């Protein structure tokens, strides 16, 4: 396993879905920062399970216990460690999965890699649950960035074929970001919420699952952030974003769409704004040129695959008996994780930017 | 700058487009490996400029000089350094770019980041030319992987709206890969070549440029490669792929398309093949589950934006006079870099896999 | 703070002396290893305070709670995290130290570095207490190394002017190592124990403290371990050994004494032993040539300074009032930490070797 | 091999004694720094061979060629690469060493590690020659530190039993440092020079060699530098110092001598100086408390073993024939490398401090 990420702002993550705790060590925090723990808890509740009719019924308070690095309410400069107790797990739900490999999940690959010693209960360290620790670190990173006037938000860009709007000048604002951070379901066009909810419930009834796309952005990043050749803004964000389970694609700015344009359209023309600041007319490059921020909003979209744990009957293998077999999953599963992943992607973006900015 | 990449197989890259040399230090090579330099040169020539009517007219031999780490034809176990002389550069072509920022390029961001001290000639260290050093390292990595029965190839998946075929079982073979590696323009459906060539020449005449998508794959990677949480196969490949100039998106397997499927379709069902090996019926996950290879081909697509240097008149700024202005670029530029980028992406995939496999 | 060490076997340490817990995350462990926790506890008790008349009277059970990475008694391959509760601390003992800087301690430097936000109670993260977490990781590393026939032990080489014997062929054996690992006070010449004990108690009565030298060795390391240029065996061991509070010097083999020899004496002549193995007649190089192990025992000595916290009156400064002042320390302090540091140095040696061997 | 060192200021070293070049890539340099290359060359000449009657007769100009990272005389912010051509090598001198292992040298360990593929000519990458590249990087680092009012110098503390003075308040001054940096043989008490020279020449005539101790110091480092737990000032300096061939011990401040003191003597008492600055009366801790600089001079001593290559007859093994044998070395060797190592240790200290300060 490779549990540590970052050069100057480092996180070391640990935990397994049905172990006693998950947690994280955060290293490289500035000293003297007053963490707003209420805000941290709010961020964590955005990811926590059992909150809505469209997520798993597993219920976890996800209350992190800070066990080092904070004294009298301020960061001490020493490593900050936090642990989160696992409470509502039902390991018997998973006993059949010891030998029968869920398609699309890490059961098979982790069994091979760890020669059967991996904690397979609740997907072990491959559970989306581990991302609660990332959200904890990200929530702190977001607060530190806000002191530098950098704000991060995201929204559900699409669920299957249902599309929200794209971020635009009108929505890349602090006001809208605050709104998105507070919403139960983050959408720019809130009218889509019912449609999404209906599709999710219907799919859940079928025993199937859904994926979607999350769009995430940071505003207020000054020009000059990013360390090419290898620590480009895109490299750093994608490196940690692809650690988030279920992410299968990432694109910055216009991303794959930019390949359909000609250079004369794709190039974002610079101009001096009335206040003397330098801006670009369009933002097809997602705020990044040559791996370095150009002062425009940094925007990326991540593709989230449908939850692999579905209750419909699936063809698969029994790795012990070495036979083809079928699997009907019991247990509580999210029919879609897209709404819960939004805050996870904001968190990894915050961690990546803070590592580059420091 | 952040010039070093990798944990166990490390590369340190250096050089600027119009400096005396570019080069790379490769650390973590096995000792006793006989490098086939003829094959290395062939890979480098796939990227080298001036080879075809649809690339820049700058001509570089791109002959790397190995100055350490090889003795009697075998790797010694010590760091292997190679340098490549820059020959055919015309720095006067770039003098106007000291103050006038090319839209879509790194001129502005590098000027801000390096406070005007960056070598702006030929885009300095932001030139695609630097990737020649990556191809050198990648060509060696590919040879080492081939000893482990791992083969890597790529093809132009699309140029603007012109699409090639997708990789399929029929084309994910050693024979096809050898063919692709030898082709001047890598396409699965070679009938598209003329169409692409026409579009490129026409666009060049307009003084404009094109982008596209490259699809890259590795076959023969055994199940169990990848180190989650943070060193997932996707994290490693994307981290280094986004260091390649012009890459704005990456997706694995079905990527963004997987978000349109339901779980029952997106999940790749496992089965025992006749020879007892474990395979999946589909490969929507691109050979990776939970960040770890599952034995199926590893497949990704990267979005390459249109070359930002175009000769059409563009609106931009003069950063010295602090005025809005227009720019008509002189100099030799690629109307499209997609065909030359294929081997670069194969190289970074090889470097990333070798770092994970070691 | 820089809380993470290691490339392939990584540890991330956290905690403060009077915080709720200290702990460690261990990453890069092999999967399927059965940890003998009884042995781990025995190692930890060698370091734990309150065990003997010559250590601090602070009593801590130092029972680590493993919260991830172990399943059914075996390592899972995922990061192993362990936390240790702080129990018997008396923070009021330290309140005077907020402004009055103990000479020889980290009070002043940490106050400057962390701008007064550091947790000064019990020296915070600068407390020797943090090394309990290192011993936990080291105890596991030692067990893994023992499976590779590598054994590590240490002894008190000197306390002030009282000298034990040096390691020799007769004592660099598994039997002796087992004995040393089990001794309350590790000495080759156990007759020195009374003399040391008398000196310590006498010094304690004076309100003063003592230092000494620890000699540590590993037997069974095959030739070929170490990664020059920068990851020489000496570089790795010294890098982590100097993280242990109070270490002010380290030497390998004959160390500083080798500078008094001529090359003809200092060179360790190779010979074929009767069993065909390659050995050296002497071991002035401490088992390391060119940064790589040569198959002979790896031996180093570390200088441990006298405990800086003494109860004798000392001249120092009040950093708030900006006045010269005097300090008479209350609280419980070790008159010497040398006996407790032995196992800490064995632990860091084990961690360093495991990172190089993996 | 592990060729890269550093977190924020990184060096990647390469080259073999009889290869075409040695060199270094320096990453993390500030942009816009005007390197004084004349000063760099002067530093390199302090290490270069063939300069005096007491070093090897191999002559190398050691003129580094900067091939990237400098534009118009200023650092660009991109990686700076420099190469140094090997000129005066005589590889036939070493042919006998393919099978016969020099005692005390890396011949045996490198042969085992690299399975005989290592470039054994002139000790390959284990040659002290490689340190020329470190001196190049160190010379630049020293210049950058001088802009921050940090100065580094060293002197020969001892050669065998002949001792120079120790650094003291009187000699830890910029004036003295400038003098030491300019001296051919760096000594505080220059009257020892003749005695040393006589001993060296006499030893050379015997076909034997000598070692010694180098004392190195930095003045002007403000309090607060160093990143415990793992990146203590001692950890960083020792990690890179032990990469320098022949270093077998390192101690900070009073080092091993501090173990002979009681705490009341070893503790450096703080006081407010007349100008309001905080100082310590003594400096037994070598300017470092708790791994962090305290504003006093940072002082370390390194033990340099006698050059292992001696022409006296030595017992050793022939690894091919697997027989015990004798070796009489031909070739040009330093009878002592201590004088040439002084500038190497200053260089690694500069690199380590710059990595911590940045």
């Amino acid at each position: 396993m490779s549990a540590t990420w970052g050069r100057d702002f480092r996180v070391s993550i640990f935990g397994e879905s049905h172990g006693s705790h998950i947690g994280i060590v955060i290293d490289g925090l500035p000293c003297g920062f007053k963490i707003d723990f209420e805000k941290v808890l709010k961020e964590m509740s955005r990811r926590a399970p059992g909150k809505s009719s469209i997520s798993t019924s597993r219920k976890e308070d996800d209350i992190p216990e800070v066990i080092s690095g904070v004294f009298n309410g301020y960061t001490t400069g020493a490593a900050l460690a936090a642990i989160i107790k696992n409470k509502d797990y039902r390991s018997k739900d998973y006993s059949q999965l010891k030998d029968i490999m869920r398609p699309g999940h890490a059961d098979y690959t982790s069994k091979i890699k760890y020669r059967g010693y991996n904690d397979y209960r609740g997907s072990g360290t491959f559970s989306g649950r581990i991302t609660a620790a990332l959200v904890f670190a990200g929530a702190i990173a977001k607060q530190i960035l806000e002191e530098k006037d950098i704000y991060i938000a995201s929204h559900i860009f699409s669920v299957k074929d249902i599309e929200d709007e794209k971020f635009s000048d009108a929505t890349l604002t602090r006001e809208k970001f605050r709104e998105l951070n507070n919403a139960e379901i983050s959408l720019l066009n809130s009218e889509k919420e019912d449609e999404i909810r209906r599709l999710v419930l219907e799919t859940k009834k079928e025993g199937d699952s859904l994926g979607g796309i999350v769009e995430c952005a940071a505003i207020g990043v000054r020009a000059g952030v990013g360390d090419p050749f290898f620590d480009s803004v895109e490299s750093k964000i994608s490196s940690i974003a692809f650690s988030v389970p279920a992410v299968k694609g990432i694109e910055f700015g216009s991303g794959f769409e930019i390949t359909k344009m000609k250079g004369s359209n794709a190039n974002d023309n610079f101009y001096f704004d009335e206040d003397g600041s330098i801006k670009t007319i369009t933002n097809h490059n997602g705020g990044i040129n040559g791996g370095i921020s150009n002062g425009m909003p940094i925007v990326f979209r991540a593709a989230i695959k449908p939850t692999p744990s579905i209750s419909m009957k699936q063809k698969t293998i029994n790795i012990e008996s070495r036979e083809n077999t079928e699997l009907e999953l019991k247990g509580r599963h999210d029919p879609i994780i897209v709404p819960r992943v939004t805050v996870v992607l904001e968190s990894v973006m915050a961690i990546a930017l803070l590592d580059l900015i420091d």
Side-chain angles (χ1 to χ4, degrees), chain A residues 11 39 48 59 68 132 142 166 218 223 258 293 307 322:
Chain A
V11 292
K39 266 174 116 171
K59 279 188 176 48
S68 74
K142 278 173 85 170
K166 264 195 174 178
I258 208 172
S293 64
T307 326
R322 297 193 60 79

Side-chain angles (χ1 to χ4, degrees), chain A residues 45-119:
Chain A
S45 79
R46 293 175 61 198
R47 197 216 66 89
K51 299 276 150 148
S52 83
S53 57
I54 64 171
S55 89
T56 171
S57 57
R58 174 173 176 176
K59 279 188 176 48
E60 291 286 357
D61 296 334
D62 281 358
I63 306 293
E65 184 188 353
V66 174
I67 59 178
S68 74
V70 175
F71 178 47
N72 292 336
Y74 291 87
T75 56
T76 62
L80 189 162
I83 55 178
I84 304 169
K85 213 168 165 41
N86 289 324
K87 291 177 176 169
D88 180 24
Y89 53 84
R90 308 183 187 166
S91 293
K92 64 176 168 4
D93 287 351
Y94 288 88
S95 50
Q96 69 176 131
L97 299 178
K98 191 166 172 298
D99 301 329
I100 299 178
M101 309 285 94
R102 282 172 297 172
H105 218 299
D107 297 349
Y108 170 61
T109 55
S110 58
K111 183 151 194 141
I112 294 296
K113 181 161 195 81
Y114 303 115
R115 296 182 293 120
Y117 290 104
N118 55 303
D119 181 355

Side-chain angles (χ1 to χ4, degrees), chain A residues 45-48 50-55 156 179-187 193 197 338-340 342-343:
Chain A
S45 79
R46 293 175 61 198
R47 197 216 66 89
K51 299 276 150 148
S52 83
S53 57
I54 64 171
S55 89
I156 301 173
E179 211 181 282
L180 287 170
N181 281 337
N182 285 325
E184 202 204 319
I185 305 279
S186 301
L187 284 163
E193 189 168 334
R197 203 177 287 273
V338 177
R340 294 174 59 199
T342 52
V343 67

Side-chain angles (χ1 to χ4, degrees), chain A residues 166-185:
Chain A
K166 264 195 174 178
F167 270 130
S168 65
D169 284 0
T171 48
L172 288 162
T173 64
R174 288 196 199 172
E175 295 64 37
K176 192 67 188 176
F177 274 31
R178 201 173 307 121
E179 211 181 282
L180 287 170
N181 281 337
N182 285 325
E184 202 204 319
I185 305 279

